Amino acid sequence: MKKLLLATALIAVSGAALAESHGQTVRLGTEGAYPPFNFINDAGEIAGFEREVGDELCARAELTCEWVTNEWDSIIPNLQSGNYDVIIAGMSITKERDEVIDFSQNYFPPAASAYVALTADADLKGTVSAQVSTIQAGYVAESGATLLEFATPDESVAAVRNGEAVAVFADKDFLAPIVAESNGELMFVGEPVQLGGGVGLGLRESDTELKDKLNAAIQSMKDDGSLNALIEKHFGPETAKF
Amino acid sequence: MSCWQTVQDYAFRSIGLGENLLPRTDFTLCQQITLIGSGLIWNIYFGVLALAFGFFLAVAVALAKSSRRALLRKPAEWFVFVLRGSPLFIQFFLAYETLQLLPKAGINLLGITVETSWTTRAWAGALFVLFLNTSAYAAEIFHGALRSIPKGDLEAAEAYGLTGWQKFRRIQWPTMLRLAWPSYTNEAIFLFHATTLVFFSGFPAFRQMGDALYYANYFADKTFNPFVPYPIVAAYFIALTLLLTFAFSLVNKHLNRHLPSNQKSRIRLRPQIIR
Amino acid sequence: MFAACADPKAIEGLTWAACYLTSGKHLDFYWSFVTVLMLLAITAPAALAMGFAGATAARSRFLPLSLLGKAYAAIVRGVPDIVFFLFFVIALDQGIEWMKHQIVCPDWTEPVRQGLEFRVCPQAKVPLGSSSAIWHQAYGFGLAVFTFAIVFGAFAANVLYGAMSAVPRSQLETAEAYGMSQGQVFRRILVPQMWVYALPGLSNLWMILIKATPLLFLLGVKDIVYWARELGGSKTQAYEYPHPDWRLWYFLGLLVFYLLFTKVSEIVLARLSARLSHGQATAAGEAMRKVAA
């Protein structure tokens, strides 16, 4: 028995050593349901802004990367239990999250959240829909409006279309293409609200080495303008850039 | 903030009483236990009402299914087949989508405007789905019980000149209940478990008023630790299951009161039903 | 897939539909039906084995073992399966890695739990961080099967326990009178006869299992409901095939699938029941004898 275990351990060690020589394998966790940040494209692959950013960061930091999808609900517990090493899922940097995980510097500027409704005079203190457990849901609850929570961002928009909710409150960049393609049915209402400190990579607090590598890579992308180019490609020319 | 204060603030949060904002920082065990317990009100609401209304529809469907007339039997068979043959998950979704199609301004019936917006709210819409669902399962149980009534009992009733309603009221009905009760107990337990699906997959939570699982999910999300809130829900449900089993066993005792003790059918927890 | 599908936004009508329905994502969707069927095929025997172990333990004369068997069935069944799925998989995953950690890295000095963080040595990760994606998927699938087996094993334990008690006492006593040992009575008399009593309960369990598969996505397995939701949701121009909210149609499709599947299962199980009742001293067996005579 002991011999057997020893053999397993040896294989394990040599496996790890092999990985070391090829550069470290880093697993990137994303949601895959938040276009244009991240989504599953029609070929069944993870695509979107974060896919391109993630691949570029891995190339610059000389890491071998693998993509995984995970439900939004359990995305932080699964990071902490080590099922992947980095969260790259349009996650806003907030104080609460920062207490349990670490964030890289942001790779997307502090995003505006906005209300979208069917009419321009919609009552934003009425029933407002949002995705459950997002910073937007918390904001709506505190704003005094009646919060209607849905499991997916998609459903929260559908609720406005069918009249369940007066307005939906979500990331402006997520809503923009939906509004643009609705043929005037949907429109932005009220002033955009700044929430969170931009979107960053989520990491375990103990992974300081990985964090440094990725921070350097993000900085280099910011410096040579390639990050801005990607933002413009996915979010249009009017989006805030670095 | 003391724990008693928390209980005062949040014990009825799920029905909109007490503190409006949910706790956002410094989560305590007391808050989790109180709020999740508060959410249990919804589970009990859905379970009790669906079961109570469902009982009558189930008996009607079971009788229709046992009928010799195809006009009665066929719809009953289809009702049971569709509702027992598909996951509750999908039934919730389809019901929600269908209810949304109702005109929002209300339906004008003979000059009176009937409001429709409440139908998509969980308290009405989800209750309706659970009601239909449990009716189908219970109907199958009652149907089985009707078919297992000893032939001798029915022949004896006829020999005494009991027919139609009298025969049903005095012989078939009590025997059916007695035979079906153990399985019906299981169905009740499953129904209560199924109520956790309401806010999880089916209907949106309104003003952050949700069931036990909804609040557990909230805490799991805010504390980033699933190992506290979910076991609390589990503990609540084990207690609820025990309570339910006890209540149903009292009824069972009543139904079996005339039988010698060695023939009494004891309630055994068995998954007789399909969900 | 087809050459005509190279530029989906330029095509219309039937060609568009054909291209849309054969996109990579749809192939994943079709493949997920296989995943679900495979999971059922593996879970059913696994749950039966768990149930058999649980029922045997509950019948044991050794009190702690019997209590363990009964507590397993009672606790797991008292909890809604969805609640169980929400935290059990992470716990199981950490448990496995912790055990491997104890074996592989005995010299590791840092604490495994740092606050909420769970950190074992890199060699103790299951599967290893360097292994290919397919292993991660297989491991996730394995965890899902195991979790399903534990939950449904508890139900099966209950059914089998009831079935074991339903075998007529006289049969066992006769066997003892012939001088069979406890083990022989169990293997030769009790187990072969209990199946006919267990079948109604087990067939119901199979139906419950079929209808619990939409919960698979909670366990990180991409099942048919996950894909139906993902494909049906409204798609903006960022996608190759933009369309409005079509979830209703996808879910209606799933409804048909589940109805067909339960119907087929019902027919097969009814046949099996008839086969098992043959020659048995039960009401059903008696009825068959009468028809034959």
Side-chain angles (χ1 to χ4, degrees):
Chain A
M1 188 66 197
K2 221 171 204 167
K3 219 177 202 171
L4 197 76
L5 288 175
L6 202 66
T8 330
L10 274 177
I11 292 168
V13 170
S14 62
L18 201 70
E20 208 68 53
S21 66
H22 280 254
Q24 199 181 347
T25 306
V26 172
R27 288 163 60 79
L28 307 176
T30 189
E31 188 195 4
Y34 202 58
F37 282 94
N38 58 74
F39 59 94
I40 313 281
N41 70 8
D42 292 287
E45 289 157 357
I46 297 162
F49 168 66
E50 283 173 331
R51 171 75 205 236
E52 291 196 36
V53 171
D55 286 345
E56 181 62 27
L57 288 178
C58 290
R60 291 185 187 215
E62 292 177 352
L63 303 165
T64 321
C65 288
E66 242 172 53
W67 289 84
V68 215
T69 53
N70 197 85
E71 283 287 299
W72 176 254
D73 268 352
S74 60
I75 207 160
I76 289 183
N78 272 311
L79 171 79
Q80 284 174 325
S81 95
N83 290 339
Y84 35 81
D85 308 298
V86 179
I87 296 176
I88 173 164
M91 185 177 270
S92 300
I93 303 172
T94 63
K95 201 174 90 245
E96 292 81 14
R97 287 177 184 145
D98 211 5
E99 277 168 19
V100 287
I101 57 173
D102 252 8
F103 281 104
S104 70
Q105 62 165 306
N106 57 14
Y107 56 86
F108 192 81
S113 301
Y115 290 98
V116 161
L118 291 174
T119 52
D121 57 348
D123 176 16
L124 299 182
K125 292 277 176 274
T127 310
V128 176
S129 65
Q131 187 185 6
V132 69
S133 46
T134 51
I135 47 175
Q136 284 88 6
Y139 179 84
V140 172
E142 284 168 47
S143 76
T146 305
L147 172 62
L148 195 63
E149 287 170 293
F150 290 88
T152 61
D154 234 20
E155 287 169 294
S156 65
V157 178
V160 177
R161 284 213 166 93
N162 62 41
E164 273 286 286
V166 176
V168 53
F169 189 58
D171 269 336
K172 191 156 184 261
D173 297 303
F174 165 73
L175 292 172
I178 298 174
V179 171
E181 289 170 31
S182 71
N183 299 322
E185 187 195 3
L186 295 169
M187 61 191 75
F188 283 110
V189 181
E191 289 300 307
V193 186
Q194 296 285 342
L195 291 178
V199 172
L201 303 171
L203 296 120
R204 282 183 294 269
E205 290 189 321
S206 50
D207 271 351
T208 46
E209 197 184 324
L210 181 62
K211 183 180 155 189
D212 292 342
K213 273 189 198 168
L214 289 170
N215 264 337
I218 294 174
Q219 194 55 50
S220 84
M221 281 186 78
K222 277 181 179 171
D223 290 343
D224 66 10
S226 54
L227 190 57
N228 279 344
L230 280 179
I231 292 176
E232 187 159 332
K233 175 181 168 198
H234 287 275
F235 297 91
E238 279 148 45
T239 321
K241 289 185 277 278
F242 287 105
Chain B
M1 196 160 70
S2 74
C3 188
W4 175 237
Q5 183 62 39
T6 307
V7 172
Q8 283 181 327
D9 286 348
Y10 290 119
F12 296 103
R13 176 62 182 79
S14 63
I15 48 174
L17 301 176
E19 191 67 37
N20 185 39
L21 286 179
L22 297 182
R24 273 153 302 141
T25 45
D26 307 324
F27 303 97
T28 62
L29 195 60
C30 176
Q31 285 171 341
Q32 306 204 16
I33 293 175
T34 311
L35 258 175
I36 293 173
S38 159
L40 209 60
I41 296 174
W42 279 108
N43 297 101
I44 294 172
Y45 163 85
F46 285 126
V48 168
L49 287 189
L51 215 53
F53 294 134
F55 181 80
F56 296 101
L57 183 61
V59 172
V61 174
L63 288 175
K65 209 182 162 192
S66 314
S67 164
R68 263 182 228 120
R69 264 185 244 152
L71 206 63
L72 281 174
R73 197 179 65 239
K74 283 289 163 196
E77 278 174 358
W78 274 97
F79 176 78
V80 172
F81 172 63
V82 170
L83 283 160
R84 283 177 85 227
S86 59
L88 185 60
F89 202 82
I90 289 177
Q91 292 170 17
F92 270 134
F93 176 85
L94 293 178
Y96 183 67
E97 292 289 308
T98 319
L99 289 172
Q100 271 180 350
L101 297 178
L102 295 175
K104 289 292 153 191
I107 301 168
N108 201 335
L109 275 180
L110 305 168
I112 307 159
T113 312
V114 182
E115 284 281 328
T116 54
S117 60
W118 53 271
T119 52
T120 51
R121 293 271 176 266
W123 67 263
L127 180 63
F128 185 65
V129 176
L130 286 168
F131 155 68
L132 290 183
N133 189 278
T134 188
S135 298
Y137 284 96
E140 187 63 25
I141 293 171
F142 290 147
H143 175 67
L146 276 176
R147 297 202 329 159
S148 336
I149 294 175
K151 206 171 134 208
D153 289 16
L154 297 175
E155 284 167 355
E158 273 156 27
Y160 275 101
L162 295 178
T163 49
W165 172 250
Q166 286 256 316
K167 188 172 88 174
F168 175 73
R169 170 75 192 77
R170 297 211 176 163
I171 309 295
Q172 285 172 303
W173 169 255
T175 316
M176 177 194 86
L177 273 191
R178 189 168 60 80
L179 293 177
W181 205 254
S183 306
Y184 191 59
T185 309
N186 284 311
E187 161 56 18
I189 293 171
F190 271 92
L191 177 70
F192 273 86
H193 287 183
T195 57
T196 51
L197 277 174
V198 170
F199 292 106
F200 198 80
S201 67
F203 287 74
F206 184 65
R207 283 198 175 124
Q208 297 187 306
M209 302 190 293
D211 76 328
L213 189 62
Y214 171 83
Y215 289 117
N217 203 22
Y218 177 84
F219 282 115
D221 176 63
K222 292 289 180 270
T223 60
F224 309 103
N225 183 2
F227 297 121
V228 177
Y230 293 128
I232 293 177
V233 184
Y236 270 124
F237 265 94
I238 291 175
L240 188 64
T241 307
L242 290 177
L243 203 72
L244 207 63
T245 318
F246 175 72
F248 270 73
S249 72
L250 286 185
V251 177
N252 192 50
K253 218 176 247 171
H254 181 76
L255 290 171
N256 284 292
R257 66 195 179 281
H258 61 287
L259 290 178
S261 61
N262 61 348
Q263 283 183 22
K264 285 184 182 171
S265 66
R266 287 195 35 231
I267 291 191
R268 269 209 316 269
L269 286 172
R270 274 180 307 169
Q272 282 288 358
I273 42 273
I274 306 167
R275 172 142 350 242
Chain C
M1 189 144 195
F2 305 115
C5 302
D7 183 16
K9 286 184 186 165
I11 50 180
E12 301 184 321
L14 269 181
T15 335
W16 188 89
C19 288
Y20 175 67
L21 290 175
T22 52
S23 69
K25 211 168 173 179
H26 271 88
L27 296 182
D28 283 344
F29 176 50
Y30 306 139
W31 184 245
S32 69
F33 281 88
V34 179
T35 312
V36 165
L37 293 179
M38 207 158 72
L39 180 114
L40 283 171
I42 301 174
T43 309
L48 202 58
M50 289 288 294
F52 193 77
T56 318
R59 274 178 69 86
S60 160
R61 298 226 178 106
F62 182 56
L63 190 67
L65 194 61
S66 134
L67 284 180
L68 187 77
K70 284 177 180 157
Y72 160 60
I75 290 176
V76 176
R77 274 178 326 126
V79 179
D81 43 7
I82 181 173
V83 175
F84 201 74
F85 289 162
L86 278 170
F87 70 94
F88 186 74
V89 174
I90 298 185
L92 186 66
D93 180 33
Q94 295 190 350
I96 290 173
E97 291 188 348
W98 184 81
M99 280 194 288
K100 191 175 170 197
H101 174 84
Q102 299 296 321
I103 298 164
V104 184
C105 318
D107 305 327
W108 191 263
T109 47
E110 289 173 47
V112 170
R113 278 221 162 268
Q114 302 171 8
L116 288 176
E117 223 171 273
F118 178 82
R119 196 168 182 82
V120 292
C121 63
Q123 294 84 17
K125 296 300 298 172
V126 182
L128 290 170
S130 54
S131 39
S132 64
I134 188 96
W135 283 110
H136 285 276
Q137 277 170 17
Y139 177 65
F141 186 79
L143 284 183
V145 166
F146 189 64
T147 314
F148 259 72
I150 285 194
V151 171
F152 287 92
F155 289 100
N158 221 339
V159 172
L160 293 181
Y161 184 77
M164 285 178 185
S165 330
V167 174
R169 185 84 202 107
S170 51
Q171 294 271 352
L172 307 182
E173 279 164 3
T174 313
E176 275 164 18
Y178 274 100
M180 285 191 194
S181 71
Q182 280 297 322
Q184 283 173 326
V185 174
F186 183 74
R187 278 196 311 276
R188 295 189 190 168
I189 309 296
L190 186 66
V191 173
Q193 288 199 48
M194 74 174 189
W195 294 111
V196 67
Y197 299 101
L199 194 69
L202 288 180
S203 22
N204 277 331
L205 205 52
W206 167 249
M207 301 292 202
I208 301 178
L209 188 62
I210 293 176
K211 271 164 282 165
T213 50
L215 296 179
L216 262 179
F217 83 97
L218 289 180
L219 304 181
V221 176
K222 287 184 186 132
D223 73 316
I224 49 183
V225 175
Y226 170 88
W227 282 116
R229 208 185 239 184
E230 174 65 38
L231 285 164
S234 62
K235 300 278 178 284
T236 60
Q237 295 293 336
Y239 293 86
E240 287 184 352
Y241 302 92
H243 63 73
D245 191 348
W246 283 352
R247 279 176 305 157
L248 187 60
W249 307 113
Y250 281 92
F251 274 82
L252 280 175
L254 291 191
L255 183 76
V256 171
F257 168 73
Y258 276 109
L259 287 179
L260 281 177
F261 197 23
T262 41
K263 189 80 205 168
V264 169
S265 300
E266 264 176 21
I267 294 170
V268 171
L269 287 167
R271 291 225 176 125
L272 190 64
S273 168
R275 166 83 53 91
L276 278 181
S277 294
H278 193 80
Q280 288 279 349
T282 59
E286 185 63 28
M288 283 170 75
R289 195 153 39 245
K290 275 190 190 144
V291 170

